[in-house]
């Protein structure tokens, strides 16, 4: 059987098909977020066995798949803040987010201009015995967060604050250096 495509054409079809497929998955993840979950408001509380948390789990599995297999190629580019904006985060111009998995509930996060987040985890939910409560996390302009740092729910970093690598913070940090 004779092939109608040259090997170069087959290569380009494979490469463009690969990128198109992942771009389609990204769009589906954004649609899942807004159709299944919607915007999470501060102070929202849901039972640990609720359908909301089941829908949130489905969204998180889709988000993990995209982040681990596709968006890792775009680390430290303008695409990462744009990705978080599509998912509902308030990310100012000039903010640099170096890592995709670190914001599980993006619509509860505010990132100021010139902030730098490097592979940190920013939590916005607290799971109790019977309910899960969602709280905002605010990172003001000029803040810097190191690798593997963890911000607890309801954290606020004032302008110029620095959170070092492998540091856990909760509450309020006023322009100082932690870690």
């Amino acid at each position: 059987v004779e092939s109608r495509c040259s090997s170069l054409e087959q290569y380009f079809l494979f490469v463009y098909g690969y990128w198109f497929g992942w771009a389609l998955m990204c769009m589906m993840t954004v649609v899942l977020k807004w159709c299944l979950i919607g915007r999470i408001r501060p102070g929202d509380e849901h039972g640990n066995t609720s359908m909301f948390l089941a829908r949130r789990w489905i969204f998180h599995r889709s988000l993990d798949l995209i982040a681990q297999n596709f968006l890792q190629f775009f680390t430290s580019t303008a695409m990462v803040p744009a990705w978080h904006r599509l998912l509902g985060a308030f990310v100012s111009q000039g903010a640099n987010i170096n890592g995709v998995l670190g914001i599980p509930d993006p619509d509860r996060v505010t990132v100021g201009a010139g902030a730098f987040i490097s592979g940190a985890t920013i939590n916005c939910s607290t799971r109790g015995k019977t309910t899960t409560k969602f709280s905002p996390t605010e990172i003001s302009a000029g803040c810097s967060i190191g690798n593997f740092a963890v911000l607890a729910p309801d954290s606020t970093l004032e302008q110029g604050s620095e959170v070092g690598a492998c540091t856990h913070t909760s509450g309020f940090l006023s322009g100082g250096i932690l870690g």
Side-chain angles (χ1 to χ4, degrees), residues 47-59:
N48 287 339
T49 58
S50 70
M51 283 305 295
F52 176 82
L53 292 183
R55 295 189 312 262
R56 181 174 169 254
W57 180 85
I58 292 169
F59 163 68

Side-chain angles (χ1 to χ4, degrees), residues 80-147:
V80 178
W83 171 250
H84 288 295
R85 283 186 198 105
L86 283 173
L87 296 175
F90 296 104
V91 181
S92 298
Q93 291 295 326
N96 186 358
I97 301 173
N98 180 5
V100 181
L101 281 177
I103 307 177
D105 297 307
D107 49 356
R108 293 292 79 229
V109 175
T110 302
V111 181
F116 179 77
I117 303 170
S118 178
T121 301
I122 301 170
N123 293 320
C124 299
S125 61
T126 306
R127 177 166 269 165
K129 275 186 168 181
T130 58
T131 61
T132 298
K133 183 178 179 178
F134 295 91
S135 305
T137 298
E138 184 176 335
I139 302 161
S140 298
C143 289
S144 178
I145 304 173
N147 283 332

Side-chain angles (χ1 to χ4, degrees), residues 7-19:
S7 60
L8 185 62
E9 289 172 329
Q10 288 176 351
Y11 171 76
F12 281 117
L13 284 173
F14 172 75
V15 169
Y16 287 123
Y18 173 82
W19 289 104

Side-chain angles (χ1 to χ4, degrees), residues 36-71:
L36 289 179
I37 299 174
R39 182 165 298 280
I40 300 173
R41 290 174 295 283
D44 275 3
E45 240 178 273
H46 297 277
N48 287 339
T49 58
S50 70
M51 283 305 295
F52 176 82
L53 292 183
R55 295 189 312 262
R56 181 174 169 254
W57 180 85
I58 292 169
F59 163 68
H60 280 223
R61 296 300 66 83
S62 174
L63 187 63
D64 289 346
L65 177 71
I66 293 296
Q68 291 172 357
N69 296 303
F70 180 66
L71 292 177

